[in-house]
Amino acid sequence: MSMLTPPGMGGKYRITGNRYPRMRRPRNRRRIVLASTAAVVALSVGGWGTLQLIDIFSGGGTSANAAGSNSKAKDGAGCATDAKSGPAGGKKLDLPEPDSIEVNVLNATDRSGLAKSIADELKKRGFKIGDVANAPDEFDKKVDNTGVLLGAPGKEGDARLKVLGAHFKDVDTRFDDRKGDDVDFVIGKAYDKLAKEKEADKALTALSDPKHSGPSRGHCKD
């Protein structure tokens, strides 16, 4: 027995001078390894999530914004294109005044006196009145809608027909080989009355200045 061994202790707990008793439980290396692995995995997942957030709010967000900007630019371009061809932004048109347009009123219906009454109404609205008569055989009793507008082809002829057409609803527009500046309104079976003057004025405004008369579009929006 060593001199360092307390009285009454012997056997396995005897102190010899170079060893001492281990009073705590040995560490479980397997648990330590698992805990370390779990910590590494958690840190990795957290780091990956952080990188994703950074990407969204920095680089990724910029890309998304850029994509959105491109989309808006395309929408804007689409609106601009529509504006040029549609009623919400076309070029201004120089339309002739009604008093420079000579209108022939031709009755293709079986209602007598109708051509005269329409001619009188058009005269009140500023048009010059030419012939007031029955329609030729090619139209007589053959026009089912409100009527047919006839005029010379070309830009000026088209403009005259548009001005006259603003005073009617559901009319067809056609061109023939005439040389003069006059236009015809052939009365059809469905004719009831002229469009209201306010409606005609609104239609003419839309034709002459589409940018300020067309419906707005939310995006640009209808």
Side-chain angles (χ1 to χ4, degrees):
M1 180 179 295
S2 169
M3 294 180 63
L4 298 176
T5 301
M9 293 187 64
K12 136 180 193 183
Y13 297 103
R14 184 177 56 189
I15 298 175
T16 59
N18 56 3
R19 297 187 63 183
Y20 60 92
R22 202 177 287 270
M23 303 302 291
R24 62 180 178 179
R25 297 174 62 184
R27 294 182 180 176
N28 191 328
R29 292 184 179 180
R30 184 177 180 181
R31 290 186 179 179
I32 294 174
V33 171
L34 290 176
S36 300
T37 302
V40 171
V41 171
L43 289 174
S44 299
V45 172
W48 181 81
T50 302
L51 289 175
Q52 292 299 311
L53 290 174
I54 293 174
D55 181 65
I56 290 173
F57 290 104
S58 58
T62 302
S63 300
N65 291 336
S69 299
N70 291 337
S71 176
K72 290 179 182 178
K74 290 179 182 178
D75 289 344
C79 289
T81 301
D82 291 341
K84 291 180 181 178
S85 59
K91 294 181 179 179
K92 289 185 178 182
L93 297 178
D94 294 327
L95 298 176
E97 294 295 327
D99 59 7
S100 68
I101 303 173
E102 182 179 344
V103 183
N104 303 313
V105 184
L106 309 176
N107 191 357
T109 74
D110 55 5
R111 290 180 281 174
S112 62
L114 187 56
K116 175 72 166 56
S117 64
I118 293 175
D120 291 343
E121 288 295 325
L122 290 175
K123 187 175 182 179
K124 291 178 182 178
R125 298 190 182 190
F127 291 94
K128 292 194 300 183
I129 302 302
D131 295 336
V132 179
N134 291 326
D137 290 341
E138 61 179 306
F139 294 110
D140 191 30
K141 311 295 189 301
K142 298 175 184 177
V143 180
D144 294 326
N145 62 345
T146 297
V148 177
L149 301 177
L150 291 171
K155 184 177 180 181
E156 293 182 359
D158 181 58
R160 287 190 288 269
L161 292 177
K162 284 182 177 178
V163 172
L164 178 59
H167 295 265
F168 298 95
K169 296 179 180 180
D170 188 29
V171 292
D172 293 333
T173 299
R174 304 179 190 176
F175 302 96
D176 53 22
D177 57 358
R178 74 183 64 197
K179 302 300 180 182
D181 295 336
D182 62 332
V183 296
D184 297 346
F185 172 57
V186 182
I187 310 168
K189 298 176 183 178
Y191 174 81
D192 180 26
K193 58 184 177 180
L194 272 69
K196 294 181 180 179
E197 289 191 63
K198 289 183 178 181
E199 294 177 353
D201 291 341
K202 186 176 180 179
L204 290 172
T205 301
L207 288 171
S208 62
D209 192 2
K211 289 184 178 179
H212 295 89
S213 60
S216 60
R217 301 191 175 186
H219 37 314
C220 144
K221 223 161 174 186
D222 199 355

